[in-house]
Amino acid sequence: MGKTFNFGAGPAKIPEAVMEKAQKEFLNYNGTTGISVLEMSHRSSDFGNIVSSTKKLLRDEMQIPGNYEILLLHGGGTGQFAGIPLNLRAFSKNSESPTADYAVTGSWSNGAAKEAEKYLTVKKVFDAKAPFLGAPIGNTWKRDPDAAYLYYCSNETIHGVEFPHAPETLPDIPLVADVSSNVLSRNFDFTNHGVVFCGTQKNLGAAGLTIAIVREDLIGKHHPFTPAILSYDEMHKNNSLFNTPSTYSIYLTHLVLEWIRDIGGVKKLEELNAQKSQLLYETIDNSGNFFVNNVQKDFRSRMNIPFHVGSVEGKPELEAEFLKKATAAGMIGLKGHRSVGGIRASIYNSVTMEETQKLVDFMKFFQSSHSD
Amino acid sequence: MGKTFNFGAGPAKIPEAVMEKAQKEFLNYNGTTGISVLEMSHRSSDFGNIVSSTKKLLRDEMQIPGNYEILLLHGGGTGQFAGIPLNLRAFSKNSESPTADYAVTGSWSNGAAKEAEKYLTVKKVFDAKAPFLGAPIGNTWKRDPDAAYLYYCSNETIHGVEFPHAPETLPDIPLVADVSSNVLSRNFDFTNHGVVFCGTQKNLGAAGLTIAIVREDLIGKHHPFTPAILSYDEMHKNNSLFNTPSTYSIYLTHLVLEWIRDIGGVKKLEELNAQKSQLLYETIDNSGNFFVNNVQKDFRSRMNIPFHVGSVEGKPELEAEFLKKATAAGMIGLKGHRSVGGIRASIYNSVTMEETQKLVDFMKFFQSSHSD
């Protein structure tokens, strides 16, 4: 069997070096403990070191300012869809009927807005209906001065829509960013942000861990109905060990962060991701509409690149053949999300230039074999 | 370095056979996929098969009746401490001010009661103050006929207090059981139960997965503030794939369930656990108060066996020496929980009779070296 090329959207490819190290010490962490990380008490000194080192590496690599706390949580990004309004609703200037602003640029921000409606009045400053072709950056948005926060998803995994920089917000209204699918793939500016969160299963390791980076002054005013596992205050007071966390996912994120540091950090990754995505978009744009990506160029994702084959809406039989032949060539995870169809190539930090080139070569060969 | 004997309370020892299989297919699941389970989409057919097989195995091995749904959730047992009242409070006959009954037999049921107070009026039918020496089984409890449910923890990990069978409840008031630390260690009778839940990091694999087994008629009346990740209704409607679950933890639980099936199921494990715990308690009880366990005999845990060394309250310097020498002999995880001190031996399903014997031999040797 040849090598498998994983272009899945998440859980996704983990860097080879990380997987090899994890396998090597799978039964005996660090070669000295005699047990696996999986079997280790979350209150042991070995695991305590993993937690503190993970937080330090994340702070260093992401350049997180000192007035932000790093919380290691349960529940995935979807847990935060509830956690955000539960923790922040008290910051709305409308105490009778708290509100928050949401920029809906795709499925994930849409899902976040829907969940938030359980807890406050959601106002959509932007609502990109399908096919979610992009987002203006905020200077035309009608923002609510009473909003507890302005929410956005920095990269929409399904629609391939990425903010090139954070949207503008009103003074004193913090931004909340879901960075699940582009964390540490490019420089991130924390200015104006209140909460920055992500699941780790795309760019930072495995499923099961959620990281919330929360500005200190926003901790402690959660709604009384906030479950402890979603309460920034309760988790912070207990150094994210209020209860047993997803220990192995934390360990894998630690290894991924070491890998990021060792290959040259986010600066290096940003360069690589620009090159990889440029190669793919050029292949698409130079195909004479054989491959089509409709996203506004300024908002095209460098992580998730959806496209259709054969026409703007895609020809289903051609796309099915594309997927079948790609799978036969060892390239998996290329099927577009069921809500939008087509093809999607996810090229997270772990996907190399060589792997991207392999996909591009296949695309060109596929096109040439259908151009007679 | 000699073998390490892991008597930790959780995350805990995972059966050797499970760990070896997991390591073997760590980089290439099933030897055919070319990728790790860690890198697999939760919506792939391979992972879908793992989910459905996990649920089937659990239903078979635990003999779960057909009118219960199995939900694979986030958040640990602590997540359920909020999830239970959020999902069930509407079943209280007091709709103005919902109530629930709690049997507090140790730290975990105490923590569950505390979290539940966020959402309803908690009435404690039993409140064992420290040192939590056991629990009457319920026929003397003053139960509230309006209670939404009667909550108990089937095995208190910290205090070593285990219910020999479920407590009695009033007609129409469902029992809710936290079985995190003794699931599948003995036969479990679902009669009268509404919800049975556990974290998987003690007897079923790794941290990160929470299993809730919920009677169908209790699904769908959750409070509007229930986060989706804790909503039985939303998780059930999406076959526990509402969002990305802790995929690797599910995989490990699947392997542990296969192991349980292959060694003879819960019947075999119940026999082994009776033998292992009997050996340890006999060693304690026959030590002439050199080792002391204070729990009422009917309520002594077969999974977690706390004891003091030197006297009823324990002699700190002797206990420190015990731990130091045990560690030197490769036996780890024996320190009692920080809230109660002393020693605790956790002998979950994965801990063998030979390992238990090794600990007993050490205890006898330690005593003999202090009996002059």
Side-chain angles (χ1 to χ4, degrees):
Chain A
M1 192 180 69
K3 180 169 156 40
T4 299
F5 300 84
N6 188 353
F7 295 101
K13 188 193 169 199
I14 296 172
E16 284 90 349
V18 168
M19 291 301 291
E20 281 159 18
K21 179 161 189 195
Q23 187 190 35
K24 196 175 159 206
E25 60 185 14
F26 190 75
L27 299 181
N28 187 358
Y29 171 65
N30 209 14
T32 59
T33 59
I35 61 171
S36 173
V37 173
L38 287 159
E39 304 172 304
M40 197 177 274
S41 169
H42 56 300
R43 307 215 182 267
S44 65
S45 62
D46 282 323
F47 191 75
N49 290 338
I50 292 173
V51 167
S52 52
S53 179
T54 301
K55 288 162 76 168
K56 182 176 186 321
L57 275 166
L58 188 68
R59 192 175 292 278
D60 289 350
E61 295 308 316
M62 227 177 147
Q63 297 185 44
I64 300 172
N67 61 327
Y68 288 76
E69 297 293 340
I70 299 171
L71 305 176
L72 309 180
L73 306 173
H74 294 267
T78 302
Q80 288 308 301
F81 293 176
I84 299 286
L86 279 164
N87 282 282
L88 302 187
R89 72 198 286 282
F91 293 94
S92 170
K93 289 180 194 76
N94 186 339
S95 57
E96 294 288 301
S97 175
T99 69
D101 281 350
Y102 277 73
V104 173
T105 55
S107 290
W108 291 108
S109 44
N110 195 46
K114 195 176 162 201
E115 181 81 351
E117 282 169 355
K118 291 179 179 172
Y119 308 104
L120 42 66
T121 301
V122 166
K123 299 192 177 175
K124 294 183 181 172
V125 294
F126 182 80
D127 192 1
K129 302 295 182 191
F132 295 106
L133 298 185
I137 204 61
N139 48 10
T140 63
W141 295 352
K142 192 186 166 203
R143 303 184 214 89
D144 179 359
D146 289 347
Y149 54 87
L150 167 55
Y151 182 102
Y152 74 106
C153 177
S154 63
N155 182 63
E156 284 284 355
T157 320
I158 293 175
H159 300 93
V161 174
E162 185 172 15
F163 280 87
H165 55 78
E168 295 168 20
T169 184
L170 296 176
D172 298 330
I173 296 190
L175 292 168
V176 172
D178 175 1
V179 299
S180 291
S181 51
N182 70 349
V183 60
L184 283 171
S185 71
R186 60 195 298 165
N187 182 52
F188 186 87
D189 181 355
F190 278 84
T191 306
N192 296 331
H193 284 81
V195 181
V196 177
F197 73 94
C198 63
T200 53
Q201 70 271 20
K202 297 172 193 290
N203 264 318
L204 281 180
L209 171 62
T210 314
I211 297 173
I213 303 158
V214 185
R215 215 175 61 201
E216 286 170 348
D217 59 295
L218 299 175
I219 298 177
K221 291 201 177 175
H222 53 285
H223 188 275
F225 263 33
T226 310
I229 58 161
L230 293 177
S231 160
Y232 298 152
D233 191 42
E234 288 175 270
M235 295 304 281
H236 171 50
K237 278 179 184 156
N238 292 277
N239 189 30
S240 298
L241 296 173
F242 182 82
N243 68 331
T244 315
S246 291
T247 50
Y248 202 69
S249 303
I250 292 175
Y251 161 74
L252 282 172
T253 291
H254 182 251
L255 293 184
V256 171
L257 288 167
E258 287 183 326
W259 172 82
I260 289 174
R261 177 197 62 197
D262 293 346
I263 65 162
V266 72
K267 189 164 177 294
K268 179 68 181 172
L269 285 165
E270 182 161 2
E271 284 169 27
L272 286 169
N273 291 324
Q275 289 166 15
K276 283 151 49 186
S277 56
Q278 190 183 353
L279 177 64
L280 256 170
Y281 283 120
E282 279 178 2
T283 305
I284 291 167
D285 292 342
N286 296 336
S287 71
N289 267 358
F290 184 77
F291 301 115
V292 181
N293 171 288
N294 280 322
V295 179
Q296 287 178 35
K297 290 199 177 172
D298 288 349
F299 296 92
R300 279 176 161 182
S301 171
R302 295 182 189 175
M303 294 284 101
N304 311 96
I305 301 176
F307 57 90
H308 279 295
V309 184
S311 71
V312 173
E313 288 84 28
K315 291 186 176 164
E317 67 287 356
L318 215 50
E319 292 181 339
E321 186 191 338
F322 182 94
L323 290 170
K324 194 176 168 191
K325 289 190 170 163
T327 304
M331 290 179 276
I332 65 169
L334 285 164
K335 193 173 181 179
H337 190 268
R338 62 198 186 286
S339 63
V340 295
I343 314 296
R344 171 176 51 173
S346 296
I347 48 169
Y348 296 120
N349 284 345
S350 58
V351 175
T352 63
M353 189 66 189
E354 292 67 35
E355 292 172 324
T356 311
Q357 185 66 54
K358 164 103 181 167
L359 173 60
V360 162
D361 291 346
F362 170 77
M363 288 168 69
K364 288 181 176 169
F365 177 77
F366 185 82
Q367 181 176 7
S368 71
S369 69
H370 286 84
S371 63
D372 44 13
Chain B
M1 192 180 68
K3 180 170 156 43
T4 299
F5 301 86
N6 187 352
F7 295 102
K13 188 193 169 198
I14 295 172
E16 284 92 348
V18 168
M19 290 301 292
E20 281 159 17
K21 182 165 187 193
Q23 187 190 35
K24 196 175 158 202
E25 60 186 13
F26 190 75
L27 299 180
N28 187 358
Y29 171 65
N30 209 15
T32 59
T33 58
I35 60 171
S36 174
V37 173
L38 288 159
E39 303 171 305
M40 197 176 275
S41 168
H42 56 299
R43 309 217 181 264
S44 65
S45 63
D46 282 322
F47 192 75
N49 290 337
I50 292 173
V51 167
S52 54
S53 180
T54 301
K55 288 163 75 168
K56 183 177 186 317
L57 276 166
L58 187 68
R59 192 176 291 279
D60 289 351
E61 295 308 316
M62 229 178 144
Q63 297 186 45
I64 301 172
N67 61 328
Y68 288 76
E69 297 293 340
I70 299 170
L71 306 176
L72 308 180
L73 306 173
H74 294 267
T78 303
Q80 289 308 300
F81 293 175
I84 299 288
L86 280 164
N87 281 282
L88 302 187
R89 73 199 285 283
F91 292 94
S92 169
K93 290 181 192 77
N94 186 340
S95 57
E96 294 289 301
S97 175
T99 68
D101 281 349
Y102 277 73
V104 173
T105 56
S107 291
W108 291 107
S109 44
N110 196 47
K114 194 177 163 203
E115 181 81 351
E117 283 170 355
K118 291 179 181 173
Y119 309 104
L120 41 68
T121 301
V122 166
K123 298 193 176 173
K124 294 182 181 171
V125 295
F126 181 80
D127 191 1
K129 301 297 182 190
F132 295 106
L133 297 185
I137 202 62
N139 48 10
T140 62
W141 295 351
K142 192 184 167 202
R143 303 182 215 90
D144 179 0
D146 289 346
Y149 54 87
L150 168 55
Y151 182 102
Y152 73 107
C153 176
S154 63
N155 183 63
E156 284 285 356
T157 319
I158 292 175
H159 301 92
V161 174
E162 185 171 16
F163 280 87
H165 55 78
E168 295 169 21
T169 184
L170 296 174
D172 299 329
I173 296 190
L175 292 168
V176 172
D178 174 359
V179 299
S180 291
S181 52
N182 69 350
V183 60
L184 283 170
S185 72
R186 60 196 300 165
N187 183 53
F188 186 87
D189 182 354
F190 277 84
T191 305
N192 297 332
H193 284 81
V195 180
V196 178
F197 73 93
C198 63
T200 54
Q201 70 271 21
K202 296 171 193 291
N203 263 318
L204 282 179
L209 171 61
T210 314
I211 298 174
I213 304 159
V214 185
R215 216 175 62 201
E216 286 169 348
D217 59 297
L218 299 176
I219 299 176
K221 291 201 177 175
H222 52 285
H223 187 275
F225 263 32
T226 311
I229 58 161
L230 293 177
S231 160
Y232 298 153
D233 191 41
E234 287 173 270
M235 294 305 282
H236 171 50
K237 278 179 183 156
N238 291 278
N239 190 31
S240 298
L241 297 173
F242 182 82
N243 68 330
T244 314
S246 290
T247 50
Y248 201 69
S249 302
I250 292 175
Y251 160 75
L252 282 171
T253 291
H254 182 250
L255 293 185
V256 171
L257 287 167
E258 286 183 328
W259 173 81
I260 289 174
R261 177 196 63 198
D262 294 346
I263 65 162
V266 72
K267 190 165 176 294
K268 180 68 181 173
L269 285 165
E270 182 160 1
E271 284 169 26
L272 286 170
N273 291 324
Q275 288 165 16
K276 282 151 50 186
S277 55
Q278 192 183 352
L279 177 63
L280 256 170
Y281 283 119
E282 279 178 2
T283 306
I284 291 167
D285 293 342
N286 295 337
S287 70
N289 267 359
F290 185 78
F291 302 114
V292 181
N293 171 288
N294 279 323
V295 179
Q296 287 178 36
K297 290 200 175 171
D298 288 350
F299 295 91
R300 279 177 162 183
S301 170
R302 296 181 188 174
M303 295 283 101
N304 310 95
I305 301 175
F307 58 90
H308 279 295
V309 184
S311 73
V312 174
E313 289 84 26
K315 292 186 177 162
E317 67 289 356
L318 215 51
E319 294 180 340
E321 185 190 339
F322 182 94
L323 290 170
K324 194 177 169 191
K325 289 191 171 163
T327 304
M331 290 179 275
I332 65 168
L334 284 164
K335 193 173 182 179
H337 190 269
R338 62 197 186 286
S339 62
V340 295
I343 314 293
R344 171 175 52 172
S346 295
I347 49 170
Y348 296 121
N349 285 343
S350 58
V351 175
T352 64
M353 188 64 188
E354 292 67 34
E355 291 171 324
T356 312
Q357 185 66 55
K358 165 102 180 165
L359 174 59
V360 161
D361 292 345
F362 171 77
M363 288 167 68
K364 288 181 177 170
F365 177 78
F366 186 82
Q367 182 175 6
S368 71
S369 70
H370 286 83
S371 61
D372 44 12

